[in-house]
Amino acid sequence: MRTIGLIGGMSWYSSAEYYKVVNAEVQSRLGGHHSARIVMVSLDFDEVRALQLAEDWAGAGRLLADAGRRLEEAGADVVLIATNLMHKVADDVEAAVSVPLLHIGDAVGRAASAAGHRTVGLVGTRWVMDETFYSDRLGRHGVDVVVPPGTDREMIDRVIFDELTQGVVSDVSRRRYVRVIEELAARGAEAVVLACTEIELLVRPADSPLPLIDSMRTHALRAVEVALEGT
C-alpha cells in the first residue's frame, strides 16, 4: 500500500472528511483492521486565507510547496492538496516534489466523464468560478463547464468563507445553493461539481435536482485507488 500525503487544514473540516473517507474506503476494500497509510501537513487556514485575500499566490505557492516537500520527506508516495481553490498553485507544489501530485480536477474530470456527463455546473470559491485553472483541467477530460452569474458567485463564495469553513451549516444557504443548481440545470448542466471541499456538508444528494460530483469524496476515493494499485 502506498502512503498518501495530505496538505490539509484548508479548512480542517474538509481535512477531517478526507481522512475519514480514505480510511473507510481502504477498510471496505481490504477488510479486517486495515486502514490507510497517511501523512498530513495541516496548515493554519488563517494564514492561508490572508494570502488568498491579498492575492499573494506566489506566497501561497511557497507555503504549499514547503508542505509538499515535508510530506515527501515523511514518506508520502503521492501528494494531495485537500482543497479545490489552492490547486491554483498546484504547479508550485508539483515542481517541489518528485512524487506524483494527484490533482483534484483530474479526479473530478475522470468521474464526470465516466458518468457520461459532458457539461457540468461548477460551484466553489470565486476564484474557482471566475478563473479557468479548474475548468481547463476538467476540459482535458472532455467536460465543459457552466458557472453561475456574478451575483450568485458572490453569494456562494460568501457562504463558503463566512459559514462552511467556520462550521456553520444553514438551511437558508442550502436553499440558495439549490436555487443556483436549478438554474445551472436550465442552462444545460447535466451534473454539478461541488468544487469546494466543504459544500458537501451543506448540499446533499437528496437536496439537488442534478447529480452531485462531490470533489472531496471523488478526490479521496481516487487517492485510495492510486494507493492500492498493485495490491
Side-chain angles (χ1 to χ4, degrees):
M1 184 193 310
R2 295 182 178 91
T3 298
I4 296 168
L6 291 177
I7 304 176
M10 302 170 289
S11 68
W12 72 261
Y13 297 98
S14 67
S15 300
E17 292 300 314
Y18 266 93
Y19 187 83
K20 180 179 178 180
V21 170
V22 167
N23 278 293
E25 184 67 11
V26 167
Q27 186 172 44
S28 174
R29 293 189 182 205
L30 300 184
H33 295 291
H34 281 289
S35 58
R37 298 183 185 274
I38 296 174
V39 292
M40 180 187 292
V41 171
S42 189
L43 300 174
D44 179 359
F45 189 40
D46 189 71
E47 181 181 359
V48 176
R49 183 62 179 149
L51 292 168
Q52 292 172 351
L53 291 173
E55 302 215 30
D56 182 2
W57 300 111
R62 289 191 295 271
L63 182 67
L64 269 70
D66 177 68
R69 282 190 291 268
R70 285 190 279 157
L71 289 173
E72 185 173 7
E73 290 168 0
D77 299 304
V78 61
V79 169
L80 281 69
I81 304 171
T83 165
N84 286 271
L85 169 55
M86 297 314 292
H87 280 76
K88 184 171 169 63
V89 298
D91 288 348
D92 296 298
V93 178
E94 194 166 32
V97 298
S98 61
V99 297
L101 173 72
L102 184 58
H103 197 291
I104 199 169
D106 289 333
V108 169
R110 283 168 57 98
S113 182
H117 304 311
R118 293 295 173 262
T119 302
V120 298
L122 187 67
V123 294
T125 62
R126 65 181 176 90
W127 289 282
V128 167
M129 295 182 289
D130 289 351
E131 301 182 18
T132 64
F133 67 90
Y134 198 97
S135 58
D136 285 349
R137 201 80 184 199
L138 299 185
R140 296 185 186 184
H141 300 271
V143 178
D144 294 326
V145 168
V146 291
V147 297
T151 53
D152 284 335
R153 293 201 296 271
E154 292 173 5
M155 178 274 294
I156 291 165
D157 185 82
R158 180 188 58 75
V159 168
I160 289 168
F161 288 114
D162 291 354
E163 298 178 19
L164 298 179
T165 57
Q166 299 184 52
V168 177
V169 177
S170 160
D171 287 337
V172 171
S173 295
R174 180 179 294 113
R175 288 193 292 270
R176 288 172 176 164
Y177 270 51
V178 169
R179 174 188 56 77
V180 169
I181 294 171
E182 289 171 346
E183 293 174 359
L184 290 171
R187 292 171 55 203
E190 301 159 356
V192 63
V193 178
L194 305 183
C196 169
T197 50
E198 285 86 8
I199 297 177
E200 62 97 18
L201 303 173
L202 180 69
V203 180
R204 301 155 300 198
D207 301 318
S208 177
L210 287 175
L212 300 179
I213 302 175
D214 175 352
S215 60
M216 181 282 299
R217 182 170 297 274
T218 301
H219 199 202
L221 294 178
R222 177 60 182 149
V224 172
E225 290 179 359
V226 171
L228 297 182
E229 283 174 355
T231 62

